[in-house]
Amino acid sequence: MKTHTYSLFAAIAATGMAFGAETAYTTPVGYMTIPLPGTGGSTPQKLQLANQGLLPNGPAYAGGGTAAVTFSGNTLTDTTATFGTYTNAGTNSHVLEITSAGSVQGALSWITTNTATSITTADNLSSAGTAATYRVWQAYTMSSLFGNPPAASVLGGGTDASTADNVQILDPTTNTYTSFFYQNAGKGGLGWKSSDSGILTPATYAIHPNDGLVILRKQSLDGALVISGSVKAGATKAVVEGNGTSTVLNILANQLPVDQLTLGASGLYTGNVATGLKGGTDATTADNLLIFNATANSYTTFFYQDSGKGGLGWKSSDSGIVDPTNYKLPATGALLIQRKAGSSFNWTIPSVTVAP
């Protein structure tokens, strides 16, 4: 698996958050480089499943922890707050994160509207309770993440989706992809375009932090996506969608900018199909986690064996991975999860390691 580059810069006050030999800081910021292999002229396009890994600009607001914070349904009110504007012309631009302990700790929900002292979200986070602590994060948009226009080393433009590089986002509940590309010639005007006619301004379309990105590169030469932003401290909650009857595909970002999280520590398998991946005797009966290697253009499949021959535990389709339990999920790659029989569950993604 091709590794990524991660570097810390512009830090303020040390906290002892460590990445290997590197030390990060309060709201540490940095960059990660995601390789985008080119076609080499031998195939129409090359695929990359990209992980966002960082959040832009640091928290836009952080507060709570007092009785001034209350909930009513999907609305958080903080009478001591002075919130900014967290939507963009009525569309998504920011998410609310609950940081205090509880069942919704780490949840990231779109802010649908807000005032100076209240925030309404797409999801009901009221179980966080009075005196909850929270943060507001801005999300990346197509233009802020890829450029407007994007450099050719990131994404190539074209006259339409068939000639330009594409970015796709999967909605696992409908099993449909929304495609984006940059039009640099032809009718209809230049700029970001989308396969969804309901997205009126594709350039400012906000990408949920938990969404993995499917990138289809059609250029011959290799490229790279450099993501600059803030490291999100604390655990993150992401929904793994399932319908209980048929296979549902999920493509998730993991909010970790370094190769640190192992399968054994991931919390993806809990032994309870209501809270984690379903185990099985082999890959055909268990839920699957697939890791894509863009350079080799191949997937490695992981599953949890809970019965049968060969011993229990995480297994891999790659015989070269001697101990799948300690396999580190690659920070540059989104996680592709095949949820085969269980219903949806909330996966709590562990936080980056904080040194004592």
Side-chain angles (χ1 to χ4, degrees):
M1 180 72 67
K2 190 170 182 178
T3 58
H4 68 284
T5 301
Y6 179 76
S7 176
L8 297 170
F9 60 93
I12 302 174
T15 65
M17 185 181 294
F19 302 98
E22 300 175 275
T23 300
Y25 302 85
T26 298
T27 313
V29 294
Y31 70 87
M32 56 190 298
T33 303
I34 297 174
L36 301 175
T39 67
S42 60
T43 184
Q45 61 187 22
K46 288 296 287 287
L47 172 68
Q48 175 64 290
L49 301 184
N51 178 44
Q52 296 180 62
L54 297 166
L55 287 164
N57 303 329
Y61 196 93
T66 72
V69 177
T70 58
F71 282 88
S72 177
N74 289 35
T75 299
L76 172 153
T77 297
D78 185 344
T79 57
T80 65
T82 306
F83 296 134
T85 300
Y86 301 140
T87 58
N88 177 24
T91 61
N92 298 328
S93 64
H94 289 68
V95 293
L96 176 69
E97 177 196 10
I98 301 299
T99 56
S100 49
S103 62
V104 291
Q105 183 180 22
L108 297 165
S109 183
W110 282 123
I111 296 174
T112 57
T113 186
N114 77 279
T115 69
T117 58
S118 69
I119 289 174
T120 300
T121 57
D123 305 291
N124 189 327
L125 305 177
S126 61
S127 61
T130 300
T133 57
Y134 61 88
R135 292 184 291 204
V136 174
W137 294 93
Q138 185 177 11
Y140 288 109
T141 65
M142 282 295 153
S143 60
S144 69
L145 188 58
F146 294 100
N148 192 17
S153 59
V154 180
L155 293 175
T159 56
D160 54 31
S162 68
T163 58
D165 293 347
N166 284 203
V167 179
Q168 298 182 337
I169 298 175
L170 174 67
D171 180 347
T173 62
T174 60
N175 195 35
T176 57
Y177 293 87
T178 300
S179 296
F180 298 85
F181 71 95
Y182 192 88
Q183 183 172 330
N184 62 6
K187 298 180 180 179
L190 310 186
W192 281 99
K193 308 293 181 181
S194 172
S195 62
D196 184 346
S197 60
I199 299 175
L200 301 180
T201 55
T204 58
Y205 178 86
I207 308 166
H208 195 285
N210 289 340
D211 281 341
L213 305 173
V214 179
I215 299 177
L216 302 175
R217 185 171 177 84
K218 299 174 183 178
Q219 301 174 82
S220 177
L221 297 177
D222 292 346
L225 171 62
V226 179
I227 301 178
S228 299
S230 301
V231 177
K232 180 187 171 300
T236 300
K237 199 173 293 295
V239 178
V240 178
E241 298 285 356
N243 61 26
T245 57
S246 59
T247 299
V248 175
L249 185 65
N250 295 262
I251 301 177
L252 296 173
N254 67 29
Q255 287 305 313
L256 291 174
V258 288
D259 294 351
Q260 181 185 84
L261 182 63
T262 65
L263 275 176
S266 69
L268 277 169
Y269 180 78
T270 64
N272 183 346
V273 72
T275 60
L277 297 184
K278 177 183 179 293
T281 56
D282 54 32
T284 63
T285 58
D287 289 346
N288 288 182
L289 167 67
L290 287 84
I291 302 296
F292 184 68
N293 184 326
T295 303
N297 195 37
S298 62
Y299 291 92
T300 299
T301 301
F302 297 89
F303 71 96
Y304 194 93
Q305 183 171 332
D306 61 4
S307 60
K309 298 179 180 179
L312 310 185
W314 284 102
K315 306 295 181 180
S316 171
S317 63
D318 183 349
S319 59
I321 300 176
V322 178
D323 183 9
T325 298
N326 288 321
Y327 174 83
K328 292 181 179 179
L329 301 177
T332 55
L335 308 179
L336 193 157
I337 295 175
Q338 293 175 328
R339 179 69 163 166
K340 295 185 177 180
S343 57
S344 302
F345 70 90
N346 290 317
W347 172 35
T348 300
I349 306 170
S351 62
V352 291
T353 298
V354 179

